[in-house]
Amino acid sequence: MPTDKQICIPSELPELLKQFTKAAIRTQPPDLIPWAADYFGAVSHGEIPPVREESERVALSNWAELTPELLKILHFRVAGRLIIHVDELAHMWKVLSLPTDLFNSMMNVGRFTEEIEWLKFLTLACSSLGVTIAKTLKIVCEVLSSDHSGGPARIPFSTFQFLYTYLAEMDGEISASHVSRMLNYIEQEVIGPDGLIKVDDFTQNPKVRLE
């Protein structure tokens, strides 16, 4: 029925739909509608949406859930190499009983071929756990850091710069100028003479907004 009333779009709708779309892509639920109902039900109650759970309820009950601890084991086995062959990485993945569909998904998202840039693959794996860029980088720092457990989880700023730039490019909605401003601020105002960045430097600083 025609109406002269103007349709008003809530200001929060675009961001809400953006986060929902990202969550759905990461989770790959077998049945989108009930998963979406659970997702928005959680959001409306201020709870954490059911990101990833559905994709991890796979038929093979012996498949393990991807965790930062398992990613740290993978990183240790890569042994400092920048490039790793897909067959070797797939074997490492299988030995840890991690889901094959998740491995294939990251291969597709990262457009990797036979020779895989390990840090990029690792970052995508962390993004499946982190949801936001800041949380993803927090997990990456914890995986890459050589500091003792419970320590500040520090990595070289140059590594952080590479990973943040890569995540922003993969996200596709964060401008290069914003990335540059954030990196310049962190380098000039936050990083000390040791050239290392710790998790609190980008998670607890109100002037650092990675997204």
Side-chain angles (χ1 to χ4, degrees):
M1 182 176 180
T3 177
D4 294 331
K5 292 184 178 179
Q6 184 177 3
I7 299 175
C8 296
I9 300 176
S11 59
E12 64 270 30
L13 181 60
E15 179 62 23
L16 180 63
L17 293 178
K18 171 186 171 182
Q19 296 303 325
F20 168 76
T21 301
K22 287 183 178 180
I25 291 173
R26 289 191 175 107
T27 302
Q28 296 288 307
D31 195 336
L32 181 62
I33 293 177
W35 180 85
D38 290 341
Y39 179 95
F40 287 112
V43 170
S44 68
H45 290 90
E47 300 171 355
I48 299 175
V51 178
R52 293 175 30 249
E53 282 108 0
E54 293 296 338
S55 67
E56 289 167 358
R57 291 192 194 124
V58 292
L60 298 180
S61 59
N62 62 327
W63 279 3
E65 177 181 357
L66 183 64
T67 64
E69 291 74 22
L70 289 177
L71 287 176
K72 202 169 185 70
I73 292 173
L74 273 177
H75 181 62
F76 176 78
R77 293 180 179 178
V78 171
R81 286 173 289 173
L82 298 179
I83 304 293
I84 184 169
H85 194 276
V86 61
D87 291 341
E88 183 180 1
L89 183 55
H91 176 71
M92 292 180 182
W93 191 269
K94 184 177 180 180
V95 166
L96 293 174
S97 299
L98 292 170
T100 303
D101 60 342
L102 181 57
F103 181 86
N104 293 336
S105 175
M106 287 187 291
M107 288 293 296
N108 290 330
V109 170
R111 298 178 182 177
F112 299 116
T113 54
E114 292 186 355
E115 300 296 323
I116 299 173
E117 289 187 65
W118 167 242
L119 286 182
K120 288 185 176 181
F121 184 93
L122 175 63
T123 301
L124 288 183
C126 291
S127 73
S128 71
L129 303 174
V131 182
T132 66
I133 285 183
K135 289 181 179 178
T136 296
L137 287 169
K138 175 181 181 294
I139 296 172
V140 176
C141 284
E142 291 169 349
V143 171
L144 294 179
S145 177
S146 58
D147 292 310
H148 62 82
S149 179
R154 300 170 298 174
I155 64 172
F157 174 70
S158 57
T159 302
F160 176 89
Q161 184 176 27
F162 172 78
L163 299 177
Y164 174 39
T165 301
Y166 176 64
L167 280 172
E169 290 174 351
M170 294 300 293
D171 180 88
E173 297 187 16
I174 304 173
S175 69
S177 60
H178 179 79
V179 173
S180 179
R181 285 196 302 273
M182 288 298 100
L183 290 174
N184 285 337
Y185 171 79
I186 294 172
E187 184 174 26
Q188 296 174 14
E189 305 295 334
V190 178
I191 301 302
D194 59 4
L196 299 176
I197 183 171
K198 60 182 183 294
V199 170
D200 285 353
D201 290 337
F202 60 88
T203 59
Q204 301 300 320
N205 188 330
K207 293 185 178 181
V208 177
R209 300 173 59 188
L210 300 181
E211 298 187 65

